[in-house]
């Protein structure tokens, strides 16, 4: 019998991580189709955002990694404004600042939505980030972790300063909507400049065709040609979170 390991996500351990000192959570009255999440020093806000989206952002996770819970967690929308007395302006690493914001958000969801999660490790489709035989095409840099993602008519761009490969794998996971594991063996940090289109077809051919509607090459080709990296599709273990409890918050 195959054993499945269940891990409890410790969302109830108040005082063990950063929290928002002030937070307002209200049902959204917006008529907009989409949602927004904004981070500023000392302030976190969302507009017309579902609990499902908030959980995804806080963990972070992809859609398939969150299961269970009442149906309203995807349908009901909320506006949140939260602030912290400690805006983390002293933290230079963007990845660390984001991790603190996510920790605060998890505490907020546990407190206001009575959120309880269980984590289960499952075998799922993943991508493995590796180095091309020709070697990397990135310059080493101090580990800052800063990144900007932009999209336009020509395609998308990624500009990163001092990214570790673990950080880059995490960013790419959000782009390809699948867990990306770092298998590069590179310990340093690098500056990253990437121009790509989101044609995710046939990544393992090593030569995904250029999207005719875009000026930039497909992501898998761009990684190879511009950074000396490659994504390989495999099976691997990744966490899946079960929503075991969630309640609509009282308006305040």
């Amino acid at each position: 019998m195959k054993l499945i390991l269940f891990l409890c996500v410790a969302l109830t351990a108040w005082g063990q991580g950063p929290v928002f000192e002030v937070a307002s959570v209200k049902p959204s009255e917006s008529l907009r189709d989409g949602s927004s999440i904004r981070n500023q020093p000392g302030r976190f806000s969302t507009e017309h955002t579902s609990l499902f989206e908030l959980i995804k952002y806080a963990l972070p996770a992809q859609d398939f990694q969150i299961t269970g819970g009442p149906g309203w967690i995807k349908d009901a929308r909320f506006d949140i404004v939260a602030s912290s007395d400690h805006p983390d302006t002293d933290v230079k690493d963007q990845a660390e600042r984001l991790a603190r914001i996510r920790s605060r958000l998890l505490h907020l969801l546990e407190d206001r939505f009575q959120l309880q999660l269980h984590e289960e490790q499952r075998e799922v489709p993943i991508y493995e980030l590796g180095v091309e035989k020709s070697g990397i095409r990135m310059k080493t840099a101090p580990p800052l972790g800063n990144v900007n993602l932009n999209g336009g008519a020509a395609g998308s761009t990624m500009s990163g300063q001092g990214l570790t490969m673990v950080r880059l794998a995490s960013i790419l996971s959000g782009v390809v909507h699948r867990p990306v594991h770092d298998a590069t063996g590179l310990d340093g940090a690098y500056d990253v400049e990437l121009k790509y289109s989101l044609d995710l077809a046939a990544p393992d051919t090593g030569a995904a065709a250029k999207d005719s509607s875009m000026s930039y090459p497909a992501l898998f080709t761009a990684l190879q040609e511009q950074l000396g990296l490659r994504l390989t599709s495999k099976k691997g273990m990744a966490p899946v979170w079960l929503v075991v409890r969630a309640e609509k918050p009282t308006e305040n």
Side-chain angles (χ1 to χ4, degrees):
M1 179 177 179
K2 186 176 180 180
L3 296 178
I4 300 176
L5 177 63
F6 286 89
L7 302 174
C8 181
V9 178
L11 297 179
T12 57
W14 282 90
Q16 295 185 5
V19 299
F20 292 118
E21 282 77 20
V22 179
S24 170
V25 181
K26 298 180 179 180
S28 177
E29 297 180 356
S30 174
L31 299 178
R32 62 183 294 173
D33 292 330
S35 62
S36 66
I37 296 178
R38 298 185 181 90
N39 289 321
Q40 297 173 320
R43 180 183 170 88
F44 173 86
S45 64
T46 74
E47 184 179 353
H48 202 61
T49 308
S50 68
L51 177 58
F52 187 83
E53 291 173 297
L54 292 168
I55 296 171
K56 280 176 51 181
Y57 186 84
L59 288 174
Q62 302 300 324
D63 285 11
F64 74 89
Q65 291 178 281
I66 303 172
T67 64
W72 63 261
I73 69 171
K74 291 185 177 181
D75 300 328
R77 302 285 173 154
F78 302 91
D79 296 336
I80 297 176
V81 177
S83 62
S84 172
D85 293 338
H86 307 282
D88 303 324
T89 53
D90 59 319
V91 181
K92 295 182 179 180
D93 190 309
Q94 189 178 36
E96 183 178 346
R97 289 198 300 270
L98 184 57
R100 293 190 184 187
I101 290 170
R102 284 173 166 154
S103 177
R104 290 186 177 98
L105 180 56
L106 279 175
H107 282 291
L108 175 64
L109 299 182
E110 191 267 351
D111 179 47
R112 303 299 291 276
F113 290 85
Q114 301 300 303
L115 180 67
Q116 292 182 7
L117 302 174
H118 282 286
E119 179 184 333
E120 173 186 341
Q121 294 290 328
R122 292 183 185 176
E123 186 178 58
V124 298
I126 69 167
Y127 285 120
E128 193 173 79
L129 181 65
V131 178
E132 282 284 278
K133 292 182 179 179
S134 57
I136 62 172
R137 300 179 181 181
M138 301 175 292
K139 293 182 179 180
T140 58
L144 296 177
N146 299 326
V147 65
N148 288 307
L149 299 172
N150 293 289
S156 300
T157 63
M158 178 191 302
S159 179
Q161 296 177 309
L163 300 184
T164 64
M165 292 300 95
V166 172
R167 170 77 167 136
L168 178 59
S170 176
I171 296 167
L172 289 173
S173 179
V175 175
V176 299
H177 304 295
R178 187 187 293 190
V180 177
H181 292 181
D182 171 33
T184 61
L186 301 175
D187 295 328
Y190 302 85
D191 285 341
V192 172
E193 295 293 336
L194 189 66
K195 297 180 179 180
Y196 62 94
S197 68
L198 286 178
D199 179 1
L200 303 182
D204 291 334
T205 65
K210 183 175 180 179
D211 186 338
S212 60
S213 66
M214 298 290 186
S215 299
Y216 299 151
L219 174 64
F220 299 95
T221 302
L223 284 167
Q224 295 169 351
E225 295 177 347
Q226 299 170 29
L227 303 183
L229 301 173
R230 73 179 292 124
L231 288 175
T232 304
S233 182
K234 293 190 173 184
K235 289 282 188 176
M237 301 303 292
V240 175
W241 285 272
L242 173 66
V243 179
V244 296
R245 181 185 179 188
E247 298 180 6
K248 289 185 179 180
T250 57
E251 184 176 346
N252 66 353

